[in-house]
């Protein structure tokens, strides 16, 4: 039998009225189609967009006195091994550290992990020390490709390994400079990880020549019969020869010519043999090829497109290819045959 309305609970009636009212509001209220695209409240939204930075690169100077003119130097080092002598020599440079940025690229290998640990420890010690002793910035990269040959001196300097080894080195150099070359950098100094001795005024000495590209002479100290001697090490800084040009005409498009090997008689004049006893330390010579053990480059040369070809470029590769590319862009490389820097002797 139906329940009498008079016997219904007042609470039941109240809930029924509220439910009916809710349906009426739902059907009679216009639908709002606006959808919020952010979960942040208005108070959490940024009050203004991020700032836009402007740099006038035509106002960036590269002079013969970068210290006085406050020109920033980017020192770049591909590092397959960590030598304490390299790091100590770097720290001994007299150029102000607040004007120096450092960049390193380390192989992605087991040996690279060891190198990275030593490098990171050395960096942390300096960058956590007194502010006046810190570098303006430090970047460390890991290679995204394998090291093609062993890093011991005999294997990596074998003629058969040169094309593959130097192509990998060129890729490492390009990755490093393309990643670290910021808009405030005036100079780029390439400093190999096995350069263990240079004058402490290295940056000032090279920059005072105000050349687009300049390279010192790289030698190596050794002992023979108990006597300390020196010998040429880097043969990649040279003057072109007619013999080498004619040799290149007969090569295939992917073939390269490398210096310092008796199997390839180019008869180029090598800066390594132009050292003069008692010669003027700042004597200059024009070059067609350059080595990269120590190499000072105006940043605009890299910005204009001069890089280290990992392929045959006019039958040259890596640093020698870089010199050729720079010359094609209108930049003349120079060398200092009587200014010596020293390579680690393995």
């Amino acid at each position: 039998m139906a329940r009498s309305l008079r016997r219904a609970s007042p609470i039941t009636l109240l809930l029924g009225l509220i439910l009916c009212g809710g349906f009426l509001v739902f059907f009679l209220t216009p639908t709002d189609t606006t959808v919020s695209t952010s979960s942040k409240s208005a108070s959490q939204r940024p009050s203004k967009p991020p700032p836009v930075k402007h740099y006038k690169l035509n106002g960036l100077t590269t002079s013969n006195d970068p210290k006085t003119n406050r020109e920033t130097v980017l020192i770049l080092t591909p590092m397959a091994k960590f030598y304490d002598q390299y790091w100590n020599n770097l720290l001994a440079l007299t150029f102000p550290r607040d004007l120096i940025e450092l960049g390193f690229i380390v192989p992605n290998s087991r040996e690279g992990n060891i190198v990275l640990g030593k490098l990171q420890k050395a960096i942390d010690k300096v960058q956590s020390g007194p502010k006046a002793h810190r570098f303006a910035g430090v970047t460390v990269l890991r290679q995204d490709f394998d090291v093609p040959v062993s890093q011991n001196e005999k294997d990596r300097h074998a003629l058969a390994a040169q094309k593959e080894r130097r192509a990998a080195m060129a890729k490492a150099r390009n990755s490093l400079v393309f990643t670290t070359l910021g808009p405030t950098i005036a100079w780029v100094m390439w400093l190999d990880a096995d350069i263990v001795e240079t004058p402490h005024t290295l940056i000032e000495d090279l920059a005072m020549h105000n050349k687009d590209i300049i390279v010192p002479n790289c030698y190596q100290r050794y002992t023979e019969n108990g006597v300390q001697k020196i010998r040429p090490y880097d043969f990649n800084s040279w003057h072109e020869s007619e013999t080498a040009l004619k040799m290149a005409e007969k090569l295939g498009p992917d073939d390269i010519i490398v210096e310092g090997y008796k199997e390839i008689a180019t008869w180029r004049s090598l800066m390594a043999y132009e050292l003069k006893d008692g010669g003027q330390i700042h004597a200059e010579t024009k070059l067609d090829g350059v080595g990269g053990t120590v190499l000072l480059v105006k940043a605009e040369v890299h910005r204009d497109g001069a890089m280290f070809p990992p392929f045959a470029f006019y039958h040259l590769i890596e640093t020698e290819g870089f010199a050729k590319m720079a010359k094609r862009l209108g930049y003349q490389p120079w060398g200092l045959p009587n200014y010596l820097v020293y390579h680690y002797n393995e």
Side-chain angles (χ1 to χ4, degrees), residues 52-118:
V52 176
K53 296 181 179 180
H54 296 264
Y55 298 94
K56 295 183 178 180
L57 293 182
N58 58 358
L60 195 64
T61 65
T62 46
S63 67
N64 61 358
D65 189 2
K67 184 187 292 187
T68 300
N69 293 319
R70 303 288 296 168
E71 296 164 1
T72 302
V73 179
L74 174 64
I75 300 179
L76 298 180
T77 299
M79 183 171 282
K81 291 186 179 181
F82 182 89
Y83 293 108
D84 291 327
Q85 300 97 314
Y86 159 87
W87 187 255
N88 293 336
N89 185 75
L90 176 65
L91 296 184
L93 297 179
T94 56
F95 201 76
R97 290 191 192 171
D98 66 324
L99 294 176
I100 296 177
E101 293 187 21
L102 302 178
F104 303 92
I105 186 165
V106 180
N108 189 19
S109 63
R110 182 179 299 177
E111 293 79 8
N113 293 339
I114 297 171
V115 170
L116 182 61
K118 293 179 179 179

Side-chain angles (χ1 to χ4, degrees), residues 163 166-167 256 258 309-313 315-321:
K163 186 174 183 180
R166 295 192 65 184
I256 64 169
V258 290
F311 49 84
F313 182 76
H315 304 291
L316 302 172
I317 199 168
E318 205 224 342
T319 59
E320 293 160 297

Side-chain angles (χ1 to χ4, degrees), residues 232-248:
Y233 182 83
D234 189 351
F235 299 103
N236 296 333
S237 297
W238 42 260
H239 313 275
E240 189 60 276
S241 71
E242 285 299 320
T243 301
L245 292 174
K246 289 178 181 178
M247 185 185 298

Side-chain angles (χ1 to χ4, degrees), residues 7-233:
R7 294 179 57 191
S9 167
I11 295 176
T12 301
L13 293 173
L14 180 60
L15 290 174
L17 290 171
I18 292 173
L19 186 61
C20 290
F23 278 115
L24 288 173
V25 169
F26 176 78
F27 286 113
L28 296 178
T29 303
T31 302
D32 185 1
T33 59
T34 303
V35 179
S36 174
T37 59
S38 172
S39 60
K40 292 184 178 180
S41 67
S43 62
Q44 291 176 312
R45 293 177 191 145
S47 57
K48 56 183 180 181
V52 176
K53 296 181 179 180
H54 296 264
Y55 298 94
K56 295 183 178 180
L57 293 182
N58 58 358
L60 195 64
T61 65
T62 46
S63 67
N64 61 358
D65 189 2
K67 184 187 292 187
T68 300
N69 293 319
R70 303 288 296 168
E71 296 164 1
T72 302
V73 179
L74 174 64
I75 300 179
L76 298 180
T77 299
M79 183 171 282
K81 291 186 179 181
F82 182 89
Y83 293 108
D84 291 327
Q85 300 97 314
Y86 159 87
W87 187 255
N88 293 336
N89 185 75
L90 176 65
L91 296 184
L93 297 179
T94 56
F95 201 76
R97 290 191 192 171
D98 66 324
L99 294 176
I100 296 177
E101 293 187 21
L102 302 178
F104 303 92
I105 186 165
V106 180
N108 189 19
S109 63
R110 182 179 299 177
E111 293 79 8
N113 293 339
I114 297 171
V115 170
L116 182 61
K118 293 179 179 179
L119 175 62
Q120 191 64 58
K121 184 177 179 180
I123 292 170
D124 290 345
K125 184 176 180 181
V126 174
Q127 296 301 90
S128 63
K131 189 174 181 179
H133 296 168
R134 299 175 192 169
F135 292 101
V138 182
T139 301
V140 180
L141 306 179
R142 294 301 298 270
Q143 289 179 191
D144 55 357
F145 51 89
D146 295 330
V147 179
V149 295
S150 166
Q151 288 303 298
N152 71 63
E153 189 165 14
K154 182 180 178 181
D155 291 342
R156 75 174 187 265
H157 287 298
L159 177 57
Q162 290 314 293
K163 186 174 183 180
E164 189 178 13
R165 182 187 77 86
R166 295 192 65 184
M169 179 61 78
K171 290 178 183 178
R173 291 186 187 276
N174 291 335
S175 295
L176 192 49
V177 71
F178 293 157
T179 304
T180 58
L181 185 59
T184 62
I185 301 298
W187 299 88
V188 177
M189 171 169 277
W190 293 94
L191 182 66
D192 273 3
D194 34 25
I195 294 300
V196 295
E197 182 186 343
T198 71
H200 296 165
T201 53
L202 177 66
I203 297 175
E204 298 94 318
D205 292 344
L206 299 186
M208 69 174 285
H209 292 266
N210 202 19
K211 301 299 186 185
D212 298 322
I213 303 165
I214 194 162
V215 57
N217 214 348
C218 182
Y219 268 56
Q220 190 177 54
R221 296 191 186 277
Y222 71 103
T223 303
E224 185 176 77
N225 299 323
V227 179
Q228 289 284 332
K229 296 183 178 182
I230 62 172
R231 60 192 171 199
Y233 182 83

Side-chain angles (χ1 to χ4, degrees), residues 237-309:
S237 297
W238 42 260
H239 313 275
E240 189 60 276
S241 71
E242 285 299 320
T243 301
L245 292 174
K246 289 178 181 178
M247 185 185 298
E249 291 175 359
K250 301 175 183 178
L251 296 177
D254 296 325
D255 294 330
I256 64 169
I257 299 173
V258 290
E259 273 306 322
Y261 296 89
K262 61 184 179 181
E263 298 92 334
I264 307 176
T266 64
W267 298 106
R268 288 167 174 159
S269 176
L270 307 182
M271 188 176 77
Y273 295 121
E274 295 175 5
L275 174 66
K276 291 181 180 178
D277 236 3
Q280 171 53 247
I281 192 172
H282 288 290
E284 302 171 350
T285 184
K286 286 185 178 181
L287 295 173
D288 297 299
V290 298
T293 51
V294 176
L295 180 66
L296 185 66
V297 182
K298 289 187 177 182
E300 66 188 62
V301 178
H302 285 306
R303 289 194 181 99
D304 280 357
M307 54 83 159
F308 301 90

